[in-house]
C-alpha cells in the first residue's frame, strides 16, 4: 500500500456525500427495495450500508447510491443530489399497493473513515467505514482526498465515473453493487 493511501487509511477523515437523503419507511420497504434494486437488501443487516443501483428495463443505470438499512421497515438512500428526483420517480413507478412511503430527508450525509464508532457501518473505501447524518455542516477533509480515495479504491460516483443510461455491466458497479445470486433478472427491474 502506498504511503499516501496508508496515511489516508489511518487518519480520521470525514467527507460529505449528499445534502439530502431519500427515506423509505413502511412494512413493505424491504421487499420492495429488494425487488427493485441490484444488490441483496434482505441480507443487509440493521444499521449497515451497501452500494446499490436501480436500472431500467434494459439494464441501463437510472441511479446508483448507498443504501442504508436501519431495520426491515426503515431505509435511507444516499444519492448524489442531482439524481434524487430521478431516483424517487423510479422507485414510485411500480409502487402500487405496497405499504411504504418515500420522502426526502433534509440532512447532510457524511462518510467517516477510520471511525471509533459507527452510526451506520459498512465498506465504502475500507471495511469499517461509517455513514452518519447531521443537520449542521461538519468539518470535512479535502475533496481532493476524496477523489484520490475513489480512484485508488475503485469506488465510482454517479455523474463522474459512471452516468445514467450506461449498461451496468459496462461499469465498475457490477463488482460492488450487484448480487447475481439474489435472482436479479430484467423481470425484477
Amino acid at each position: 500500500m502506498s504511503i499516501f493511501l496508508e496515511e489516508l487509511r489511518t487518519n480520521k477523515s470525514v467527507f460529505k456525500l449528499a445534502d439530502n437523503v431519500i427515506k423509505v419507511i413502511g412494512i413493505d420497504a424491504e421487499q420492495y427495495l429488494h425487488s427493485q434494486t441490484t444488490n441483496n437488501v434482505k441480507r443487509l443487516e440493521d444499521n449497515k450500508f451497501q452500494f446499490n443501483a436501480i436500472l431500467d428495463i434494459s439494464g441501463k443505470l437510472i441511479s446508483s447510491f448507498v443504501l442504508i438499512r436501519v431495520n426491515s421497515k426503515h431505509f435511507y438512500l444516499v444519492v448524489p443530489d442531482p439524481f434524487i428526483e430521478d431516483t424517487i420517480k423510479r422507485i414510485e413507478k411500480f409502487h402500487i399497493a405496497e405499504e411504504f412511503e418515500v420522502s426526502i430527508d433534509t440532512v447532510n450525509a457524511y462518510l467517516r473513515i477510520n471511525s471509533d464508532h459507527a452510526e451506520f457501518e459498512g465498506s465504502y473505501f475500507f471495511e469499517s467505514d461509517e455513514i452518519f447524518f447531521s443537520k449542521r455542516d461538519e468539518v470535512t477533509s479535502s475533496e481532493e482526498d476524496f477523489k484520490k480515495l475513489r480512484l485508488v479504491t475503485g469506488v465510482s460516483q454517479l455523474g463522474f465515473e459512471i452516468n445514467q443510461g450506461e449498461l451496468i455491466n459496462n461499469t465498475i458497479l457490477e463488482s460492488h453493487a450487484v448480487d447475481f445470486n439474489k435472482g436479479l433478472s430484467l423481470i425484477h427491474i
Side-chain angles (χ1 to χ4, degrees):
M1 188 178 299
S2 73
I3 293 172
F4 161 76
L5 186 56
E6 185 62 27
E7 190 174 294
L8 280 177
R9 176 65 182 112
T10 57
N11 290 338
K12 294 182 187 308
S13 301
V14 174
F15 303 101
K16 189 173 189 178
L17 298 176
D19 293 321
N20 302 287
V21 296
I22 298 171
K23 183 169 39 176
V24 181
I25 295 179
I27 61 172
D28 294 328
E30 177 187 63
Q31 179 60 39
Y32 187 80
L33 288 172
H34 182 75
S35 72
Q36 299 297 311
T37 61
T38 58
N39 215 335
N40 195 323
V41 175
K42 291 181 178 183
R43 282 197 316 199
L44 187 61
E45 297 175 21
D46 290 355
N47 299 314
K48 302 281 186 178
F49 67 83
Q50 65 181 197
F51 289 106
N52 217 316
I54 293 178
L55 310 177
D56 68 12
I57 193 75
S58 60
K60 293 180 181 176
L61 188 65
I62 292 174
S63 183
S64 70
F65 46 86
V66 174
L67 183 124
I68 300 170
R69 177 191 180 107
V70 177
N71 59 51
S72 66
K73 299 173 185 165
H74 187 170
F75 294 84
Y76 291 105
L77 284 68
V78 180
V79 181
D81 294 321
F83 305 100
I84 284 181
E85 292 302 323
D86 288 345
T87 305
I88 291 173
K89 182 178 175 185
R90 174 52 180 79
I91 290 170
E92 292 289 7
K93 184 174 184 176
F94 298 108
H95 180 195
I96 300 168
E98 299 85 4
E99 291 187 39
F100 67 87
E101 292 183 13
V102 179
S103 62
I104 296 175
D105 199 350
T106 55
V107 296
N108 298 313
Y110 293 94
L111 169 69
R112 184 182 352 245
I113 60 173
N114 202 23
S115 177
D116 294 334
H117 75 292
E119 184 173 344
F120 303 112
E121 186 179 6
S123 178
Y124 195 96
F125 293 126
F126 307 107
E127 286 301 313
S128 295
D129 292 336
E130 173 199 14
I131 292 178
F132 68 97
F133 301 144
S134 178
K135 292 273 187 191
R136 61 187 175 90
D137 287 328
E138 299 286 330
V139 175
T140 59
S141 302
S142 76
E143 181 68 26
E144 189 64 28
D145 283 349
F146 186 68
K147 289 177 185 176
K148 288 176 184 174
L149 277 168
R150 284 194 358 247
L151 177 67
V152 298
T153 60
V155 172
S156 57
Q157 187 174 351
L158 186 60
F160 291 92
E161 296 84 14
I162 53 174
N163 295 296
Q164 287 181 315
E166 289 187 68
L167 287 171
I168 195 163
N169 58 338
N170 292 340
T171 71
I172 191 71
L173 289 174
E174 185 180 36
S175 67
H176 62 269
V178 178
D179 182 348
F180 290 104
N181 296 317
K182 81 168 214 172
L184 176 70
S185 71
L186 292 180
I187 295 168
H188 294 108
I189 299 173

